Amino acid sequence: EGTIVNKKLVLLGDMGAGKSSLVQRFVKGNFEDYQESTIGAAFLTKTMPELGLKLEIWDTAGQERYHSLAPMYYRGAAAAVIVYDVTSPESFARAKSWVRELMRQGNQDLVMALAGNKADLAAGGDGSERKVSAEESQAYADENGLLFLETSAKTAQNVNELFTALAKKMPRA
Ligand code: GTP
Ligand code: MG
C-alpha cells in the first residue's frame, strides 16, 4: 500500500496559450491575470495519491527562441500536454506542429493530450472571441489518438480532469 511512482509530464505550446496558468491552477489551485512569460522552463511536482503517482511537471517556455531546448524536456516524458488558446488559430497551428514533432521524436508510448485553453473567453456572450471550434479540434485529436479537452485555467474548467485523464492513461511499468 502507498507505493508512489514518479512520472515526467511536459507542457508545450505557443507563448501565452496558458501552460503556466494551467499548471498553477492544477498544482496550487489559483490563477493570476498577469502570469509572467516563462523563461527556459519551470519545474513543479504534484502527487496524486489516489492514483499512486507523483507527476514531475516541466512547464516549458513557448517563445520561439526556446524551441531548441524542448527536446530536453520531452525526452523521457511519459505524458505531454499540448496547449493552444481557443481564441488564436496561430496557437492551434503551433499545437499541431508540436504534435508532429512529438510523434517523430518523442517517447514511443508517450501519452498526449490537446488542451484548448481559455474556454472561458469562448463560453460567454455571443462567442465572438472563439476562433478554433471544439469540433475541429476533436476531429484532429481523434485522427491522431490524442485526448482532447477545452480548459480554462481562469475558471478551473476541466483542469483536474485533463491531468487525471492523462495520469490514468499513462503506462505504469
Ligand atoms: P509562455 O510561458 O510565454 O510560453 O506562456 P504560457 O503558455 O505559460 O501562458 P501563461 O500561463 O503565462 O498565460 C498567458 C496569459 O493568458 C496570462 O495573462 C494569463 O493570465 C492568461 N490566461 C491563461 N490561461 C487563461 C484562461 O484559461 N483564461 C483566460 N481568460 N486567460 C488565461
Ligand atoms: Mg509559461
Side-chain angles (χ1 to χ4, degrees), residues 14-84:
D14 210 358
M15 66 177 286
K19 298 175 294 298
S20 299
S21 299
L22 284 169
V23 174
Q24 177 94 1
R25 169 61 76 188
F26 177 57
V27 173
K28 299 188 179 134
N30 58 23
F31 175 79
E32 288 172 31
D33 280 313
Y34 302 100
Q35 179 71 47
E36 282 184 39
S37 189
T38 305
I39 295 168
F43 180 73
L44 294 94
T45 65
K46 170 88 169 180
T47 303
M48 303 173 87
E50 64 292 349
L51 296 176
L53 208 63
K54 179 176 171 184
L55 293 181
E56 301 172 336
I57 302 172
W58 285 101
D59 166 25
T60 66
Q63 291 179 47
E64 189 49 42
R65 62 188 155 126
Y66 297 115
H67 187 172
S68 61
L69 300 180
M72 288 203 306
Y73 302 110
Y74 64 66
R75 224 170 266 144
V81 180
I82 297 109
V83 184
Y84 69 94

Side-chain angles (χ1 to χ4, degrees), residues 93-115:
R94 190 79 192 88
K96 289 176 172 177
S97 96
W98 278 120
V99 170
R100 285 191 295 272
E101 177 166 341
L102 289 172
M103 284 177 168
R104 276 198 314 271
Q105 329 236 49
N107 224 344
Q108 286 288 324
D109 50 10
L110 179 70
V111 180
M112 283 193 250
L114 183 65

Side-chain angles (χ1 to χ4, degrees), residues 14 82-100 114-116 131-133 136-141 148:
D14 210 358
I82 297 109
V83 184
Y84 69 94
D85 168 350
V86 298
T87 72
S88 162
E90 296 76 19
S91 75
F92 186 54
R94 190 79 192 88
K96 289 176 172 177
S97 96
W98 278 120
V99 170
R100 285 191 295 272
L114 183 65
K131 300 278 169 48
V132 183
S133 77
E136 180 184 1
S137 300
Q138 184 68 65
Y140 176 77
F148 168 64

Side-chain angles (χ1 to χ4, degrees), residues 9-12 78-84 95 99 102 110-116 141 145-149 161-163 165-167 169:
L9 179 150
V10 64
L11 287 101
L12 298 162
V81 180
I82 297 109
V83 184
Y84 69 94
V99 170
L102 289 172
L110 179 70
V111 180
M112 283 193 250
L114 183 65
L146 319 172
L147 291 167
F148 168 64
L149 283 173
E161 288 80 355
L162 172 74
F163 287 97
L166 258 184
K169 238 187 130 184

